[in-house]
PDB file of all heavy atoms in Angstrom:
ATOM      1  N   ASP A 111     128.944-181.312  93.303  1.00  0.00           N
ATOM      2  CA  ASP A 111     130.379-181.568  93.406  1.00  0.00           C
ATOM      3  C   ASP A 111     131.083-180.305  93.884  1.00  0.00           C
ATOM      4  O   ASP A 111     130.512-179.216  93.947  1.00  0.00           O
ATOM      5  CB  ASP A 111     130.934-182.025  92.048  1.00  0.00           C
ATOM      6  CG  ASP A 111     130.565-181.075  90.943  1.00  0.00           C
ATOM      7  OD1 ASP A 111     130.037-179.973  91.251  1.00  0.00           O
ATOM      8  OD2 ASP A 111     130.789-181.451  89.766  1.00  0.00           O
ATOM      9  N   SER A 112     132.328-180.438  94.247  1.00  0.00           N
ATOM     10  CA  SER A 112     133.084-179.335  94.815  1.00  0.00           C
ATOM     11  C   SER A 112     133.513-178.334  93.776  1.00  0.00           C
ATOM     12  O   SER A 112     134.056-177.295  94.126  1.00  0.00           O
ATOM     13  CB  SER A 112     134.338-179.910  95.499  1.00  0.00           C
ATOM     14  OG  SER A 112     135.117-180.630  94.557  1.00  0.00           O
ATOM     15  N   SER A 113     133.219-178.590  92.524  1.00  0.00           N
ATOM     16  CA  SER A 113     133.618-177.662  91.477  1.00  0.00           C
ATOM     17  C   SER A 113     132.675-176.497  91.323  1.00  0.00           C
ATOM     18  O   SER A 113     132.914-175.595  90.561  1.00  0.00           O
ATOM     19  CB  SER A 113     133.772-178.413  90.137  1.00  0.00           C
ATOM     20  OG  SER A 113     132.507-178.942  89.756  1.00  0.00           O
ATOM     21  N   SER A 114     131.482-176.535  92.006  1.00  0.00           N
ATOM     22  CA  SER A 114     130.526-175.428  91.892  1.00  0.00           C
ATOM     23  C   SER A 114     131.064-174.243  92.635  1.00  0.00           C
ATOM     24  O   SER A 114     131.982-174.319  93.461  1.00  0.00           O
ATOM     25  CB  SER A 114     129.180-175.867  92.450  1.00  0.00           C
ATOM     26  OG  SER A 114     129.327-176.191  93.802  1.00  0.00           O
ATOM     27  N   GLU A 115     130.414-173.089  92.427  1.00  0.00           N
ATOM     28  CA  GLU A 115     130.913-171.847  92.977  1.00  0.00           C
ATOM     29  C   GLU A 115     130.819-171.850  94.487  1.00  0.00           C
ATOM     30  O   GLU A 115     131.587-171.213  95.179  1.00  0.00           O
ATOM     31  CB  GLU A 115     130.137-170.678  92.401  1.00  0.00           C
ATOM     32  CG  GLU A 115     130.398-170.476  90.902  1.00  0.00           C
ATOM     33  CD  GLU A 115     129.679-169.255  90.376  1.00  0.00           C
ATOM     34  OE1 GLU A 115     129.080-168.569  91.195  1.00  0.00           O
ATOM     35  OE2 GLU A 115     129.762-169.016  89.177  1.00  0.00           O
ATOM     36  N   GLY A 116     129.810-172.550  95.073  1.00  0.00           N
ATOM     37  CA  GLY A 116     129.672-172.563  96.528  1.00  0.00           C
ATOM     38  C   GLY A 116     130.823-173.306  97.176  1.00  0.00           C
ATOM     39  O   GLY A 116     131.170-173.018  98.326  1.00  0.00           O
ATOM     40  N   GLY A 117     131.385-174.304  96.490  1.00  0.00           N
ATOM     41  CA  GLY A 117     132.514-175.015  97.025  1.00  0.00           C
ATOM     42  C   GLY A 117     132.154-176.048  98.064  1.00  0.00           C
ATOM     43  O   GLY A 117     133.016-176.772  98.532  1.00  0.00           O
ATOM     44  N   ASP A 118     130.866-176.106  98.503  1.00  0.00           N
ATOM     45  CA  ASP A 118     130.472-177.075  99.547  1.00  0.00           C
ATOM     46  C   ASP A 118     129.616-178.186  99.005  1.00  0.00           C
ATOM     47  O   ASP A 118     129.071-178.967  99.779  1.00  0.00           O
ATOM     48  CB  ASP A 118     129.734-176.353 100.670  1.00  0.00           C
ATOM     49  CG  ASP A 118     128.544-175.580 100.161  1.00  0.00           C
ATOM     50  OD1 ASP A 118     128.322-175.569  98.914  1.00  0.00           O
ATOM     51  OD2 ASP A 118     127.835-174.999 100.976  1.00  0.00           O
ATOM     52  N   GLY A 119     129.436-178.312  97.741  1.00  0.00           N
ATOM     53  CA  GLY A 119     128.676-179.416  97.142  1.00  0.00           C
ATOM     54  C   GLY A 119     127.200-179.219  97.241  1.00  0.00           C
ATOM     55  O   GLY A 119     126.432-180.074  96.856  1.00  0.00           O
ATOM     56  N   SER A 120     126.667-178.099  97.760  1.00  0.00           N
ATOM     57  CA  SER A 120     125.221-177.895  97.870  1.00  0.00           C
ATOM     58  C   SER A 120     124.687-177.330  96.579  1.00  0.00           C
ATOM     59  O   SER A 120     125.402-176.792  95.754  1.00  0.00           O
ATOM     60  CB  SER A 120     124.918-176.934  99.027  1.00  0.00           C
ATOM     61  OG  SER A 120     125.536-175.691  98.761  1.00  0.00           O
ATOM     62  N   GLU A 122     123.023-174.764  94.248  1.00  0.00           N
ATOM     63  CA  GLU A 122     123.093-173.304  94.201  1.00  0.00           C
ATOM     64  C   GLU A 122     122.149-172.783  93.161  1.00  0.00           C
ATOM     65  O   GLU A 122     121.801-173.453  92.197  1.00  0.00           O
ATOM     66  CB  GLU A 122     124.523-172.867  93.836  1.00  0.00           C
ATOM     67  CG  GLU A 122     125.565-173.272  94.886  1.00  0.00           C
ATOM     68  CD  GLU A 122     126.938-172.782  94.511  1.00  0.00           C
ATOM     69  OE1 GLU A 122     127.048-172.173  93.418  1.00  0.00           O
ATOM     70  OE2 GLU A 122     127.880-172.969  95.292  1.00  0.00           O
TER      71      GLU A 122
END
Side-chain angles (χ1 to χ4, degrees):
D111 53 9
S112 59
S113 63
S114 61
E115 293 184 4
D118 56 358
S120 62
E122 297 182 358

